[in-house]
Amino acid sequence: IPGKFVFYLDARVLPEYPPESIEKALQQLADDFARREGVTISLELTEQTPQAPQTPQDAPVSRALSTAVREQLKVEPQFGGIGGVTMASNIRAAGFPVAVWGIQKNWRNKAGEYASITDHLNQTKVLARMLYVPETALSQSSETFGDGAKNR
């Protein structure tokens, strides 16, 4: 039996949850386990990336994307988020509203993951509609880049 055991936990937290609440819950879990098993547990935060704000659903990019999805694919888009650091979180942290979207088959990060050519073509049509169709085009909005773009 090893005298010391070390493991790392990668917690990708959604923006609406304060990191402190997650740390507190983990500490409580560790304390309860330590008490029950008669062991000593110490937690150490090795890395924490500041959370970026969520992009509002009424931001120009959100409105343009949801309109393009609705009109091109005839489906109602759903807003959601992913915890942790993504390519979009760094852009949002700089003050720019950003939306990430794609057609998923619920195979991501699993064995047998694949992408459909048809889905790629439909995604391209949605993005083209966002950029070039007048009623949805981001280029028509004077508020496209939000406050983050001032003086840049």
Side-chain angles (χ1 to χ4, degrees):
I1 299 175
K4 183 178 181 178
F5 176 74
V6 177
F7 79 96
Y8 294 88
L9 172 68
D10 178 358
R12 297 169 187 222
V13 181
L14 292 171
E16 63 261 24
Y17 298 103
E20 302 77 30
S21 70
I22 305 301
E23 293 170 33
K24 184 178 178 182
L26 288 173
Q27 186 64 59
Q28 183 64 50
L29 183 66
D31 292 347
D32 291 348
F33 185 85
R35 216 176 359 268
R36 187 178 71 234
E37 300 298 327
V39 297
T40 302
I41 298 176
S42 61
L43 300 180
E44 177 184 337
L45 187 62
T46 57
E47 180 181 340
Q48 183 174 3
T49 304
Q51 291 184 303
Q54 288 181 295
T55 299
Q57 290 185 17
D58 64 349
V61 68
S62 302
R63 290 192 320 257
L65 178 58
S66 61
T67 299
V69 167
R70 195 176 299 111
E71 292 177 358
Q72 185 65 44
L73 302 178
K74 309 299 185 228
V75 298
E76 190 60 33
Q78 297 178 358
F79 288 87
I82 319 174
V85 178
T86 65
M87 61 184 189
S89 61
N90 293 320
I91 298 168
R92 288 194 330 270
F96 296 98
V98 64
V100 176
W101 170 81
I103 298 172
Q104 301 293 324
K105 297 291 189 197
N106 292 326
W107 284 99
R108 55 195 177 274
N109 301 320
K110 294 181 182 177
E113 179 177 0
Y114 69 93
S116 151
I117 298 294
T118 301
D119 289 346
H120 282 301
L121 291 171
N122 282 328
Q123 290 172 159
T124 301
K125 291 174 185 176
V126 167
L127 296 176
R129 183 178 287 270
M130 273 183 75
L131 295 173
Y132 301 112
V133 175
E135 62 271 9
T136 59
L138 280 172
S139 61
Q140 303 300 312
S141 174
S142 61
E143 55 180 331
T144 300
F145 295 110
D147 293 337
K150 290 180 181 172
N151 302 318
R152 292 184 193 231

